[in-house]
């Protein structure tokens, strides 16, 4: 998964996984969370989710809880760095949203 | 009722997945699979859904970790071969993969290039890859796998062709060997191009 480093934009999948792991959650929980919170608009496939979790772990934006390697259901939690990244993304989205409102006008068009 | 079927899929992901889902629609659930055989048990029609995923590029530890992850989601995972090779104690070089996936061994990841993933039907579509970027990356791996087969097949065919016109004596029927390997190479090339086009389409989205 490629997140735009320069502009700071995250992919939707990345941002949603970061939000989901703000409380400890295992793979299935993350899947359910994202599907529920987006009203079914985003339903992540298991392979895509696995890729996202691996990438985010490598970047140290999320981490597994506990050290049990044989645990089938590993829980993940967002790291300090991950929280910072998510906050930056929130700010960026708010900026974009304001810009869009100014140009397109508010309301649901 | 039990049912045993013998099949080999050259189009190992798409066709195999379609066939398994057709069997499930008729009320047969996969319980075991061998190199060429599939054992089914009777279930309610459409009780299960199947996805076939290529995992041949993964290292042994990633392979195990991903399988565990899928099982943690409540799916049942079968491993399946793409080659027809029964030897044990084998090591094969896989130039199309990255890092530790480059060497496949048996026992190990050799002959376990596919995951057949079974999920209890909940009425929702069953897909493992949903992100366009992720799909592009996945089909690129399939493209490289088939193109690797194409290059190998055609290279061996050329070798036999050379042996026909030179004193080089390899086998009794070099024409036949050339035709067999050439055909494998060409079919691999066709699938390689097909998957290349799919990967390109996702990348452009």
């Amino acid at each position: 998964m490629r997140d735009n480093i320069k502009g700071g934009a995250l992919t939707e999948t990345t941002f949603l996984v970061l939000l989901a792991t703000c409380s400890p959650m295992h793979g299935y929980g993350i899947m359910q969370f994202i599907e529920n919170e987006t009203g079914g608009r985003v339903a992540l496939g298991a392979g895509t989710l696995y890729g996202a979790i691996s990438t985010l772990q490598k970047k140290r934006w999320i981490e597994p809880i506990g050290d049990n390697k044989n645990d089938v259901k590993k829980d993940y939690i967002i790291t300090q760095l991950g929280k910072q990244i998510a906050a930056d993304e929130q700010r960026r989205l708010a900026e974009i949203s304001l810009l869009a409102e100014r140009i397109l006008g508010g309301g649901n068009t | 009722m039990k049912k045993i079927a013998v099949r080999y899929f050259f189009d190992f992901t798409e066709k195999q997945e379609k066939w398994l889902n057709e069997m499930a629609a008729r009320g047969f659930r996969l319980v075991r699979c061998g190199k060429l055989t599939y054992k089914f048990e009777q279930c309610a029609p459409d009780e299960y859904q199947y996805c076939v995923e290529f995992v041949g590029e993964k290292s042994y530890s990633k392979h195990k970790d991903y399988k565990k992850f899928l099982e943690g989601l409540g799916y049942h995972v079968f491993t399946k071969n793409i080659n027809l090779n029964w030897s044990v104690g084998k090591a094969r070089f896989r130039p199309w993969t990255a890092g530790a996936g480059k060497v496949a061994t048996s026992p190990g990841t050799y002959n376990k290039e596919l995951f057949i993933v079974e999920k209890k039907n909940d009425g929702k579509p069953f897909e493992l890859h949903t992100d366009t970027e992720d799909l592009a990356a996945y089909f690129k791996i399939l493209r490289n796998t088939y193109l690797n087969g194409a290059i190998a097949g055609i290279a061996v065919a050329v070798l036999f062709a050379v042996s026909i016109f030179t004193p080089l004596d390899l086998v009794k029927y070099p024409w036949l060997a050339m035709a067999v390997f050439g055909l494998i190479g060409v079919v691999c090339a066709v699938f390689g191009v097909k998957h290349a086009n799919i990967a390109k389409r996702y990348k452009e989205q």
Side-chain angles (χ1 to χ4, degrees):
Chain A
M1 188 171 317
R2 213 171 303 146
D3 295 306
N4 186 347
I5 305 291
K6 226 177 177 181
L10 303 182
T11 63
E12 192 174 32
T13 307
T14 301
F15 195 35
L16 286 171
V17 172
L18 286 178
L19 292 179
T21 50
C22 281
S23 53
M25 219 170 260
H26 52 72
Y28 187 69
I30 298 174
M31 240 167 154
Q32 293 292 83
F33 174 91
I34 292 176
E35 201 175 336
N36 290 339
E37 293 298 326
T38 61
R41 183 178 63 83
V42 181
L44 285 191
T48 296
L49 179 62
Y50 179 78
I53 289 176
S54 302
T55 312
L56 294 185
Q57 258 182 285
K58 226 181 265 168
K59 289 182 175 171
R60 300 187 188 285
W61 292 2
I62 64 169
E63 58 189 9
I65 300 177
D67 211 19
N68 198 348
K69 272 200 160 173
N70 293 320
D71 211 353
V72 173
K73 282 191 177 177
K74 250 191 248 172
D75 276 333
Y76 298 91
I77 184 93
I78 193 165
T79 60
Q80 216 45 50
L81 177 62
K83 277 183 190 160
Q84 199 188 315
I85 299 281
D88 287 347
E89 176 69 356
Q90 186 184 8
R91 216 167 303 126
R92 191 190 67 83
L93 285 175
E95 258 175 49
I96 294 273
S97 175
L98 267 177
L99 174 66
E101 230 169 87
R102 206 178 73 218
I103 291 174
L104 303 171
N108 304 318
T109 43
Chain B
M1 192 178 79
K2 288 205 170 113
K3 192 181 170 81
I4 290 175
V6 179
R7 286 276 191 297
Y8 177 74
F9 293 91
F10 205 84
D11 185 358
F12 46 73
T13 50
E14 211 177 296
K15 273 268 167 62
Q16 184 157 229
E17 181 176 303
K18 198 168 159 241
W19 178 68
L20 286 167
N21 280 314
E22 279 165 11
M23 290 300 282
R26 285 168 48 202
F28 289 102
R29 172 196 190 185
L30 186 66
V31 283
R32 249 183 91 92
C33 58
K35 297 267 183 320
L36 285 168
T37 54
Y38 300 79
K39 198 167 156 193
F40 294 93
E41 239 171 44
Q42 206 151 23
C43 64
D46 277 322
E47 196 180 343
Y48 294 94
Q49 290 167 295
Y50 293 91
C51 261
V52 178
E53 180 167 21
F54 181 72
V55 291
E57 91 292 359
K58 288 188 170 46
S59 68
Y60 186 48
S61 63
K62 266 266 168 232
H63 191 272
K64 273 198 308 196
D65 191 56
Y66 184 38
K67 185 162 181 266
K68 216 155 54 182
F69 178 80
L70 291 172
E71 283 165 351
L73 294 176
Y75 303 154
H76 191 87
V77 181
F78 301 88
T79 55
K80 183 91 179 79
N81 52 304
I82 55 169
N83 301 292
L84 288 176
N85 191 315
W86 276 261
S87 59
V88 174
K90 192 175 181 67
R92 185 165 284 191
F93 180 56
R94 292 193 164 146
W96 74 90
T97 68
K102 274 203 162 45
V103 178
T105 56
S106 163
T109 51
Y110 191 75
N111 273 343
K112 290 180 188 164
E113 291 82 2
L114 300 177
F115 278 172
I116 296 177
V117 189
E118 180 196 72
K119 178 193 171 201
K120 204 150 187 166
N121 194 348
D122 57 2
K124 290 176 194 159
F126 183 31
E127 286 162 334
L128 292 175
H129 296 272
T130 45
D131 200 293
T132 49
E133 215 173 299
D134 186 35
L135 279 160
Y138 175 65
F139 281 103
K140 226 167 119 180
I141 293 167
L142 279 174
R143 174 199 73 184
N144 292 351
T145 308
Y146 276 115
L147 288 184
N148 183 75
I151 292 167
I154 290 167
V156 174
V158 168
L159 180 71
F160 282 121
V162 168
S163 81
I164 295 169
F165 302 108
T166 57
L168 186 69
D169 199 10
L170 292 172
V171 286
K172 205 169 173 189
Y173 303 105
W175 281 106
L176 183 67
M178 186 187 84
V180 169
F181 282 97
L183 186 67
I184 292 174
V186 169
V187 174
C188 278
V190 169
F191 280 107
V193 170
K194 180 184 147 191
H195 288 103
N197 285 333
I198 299 173
K200 208 171 132 200
R201 214 169 51 224
Y202 280 123
K203 210 176 163 195
E204 280 165 359
Q205 275 179 24

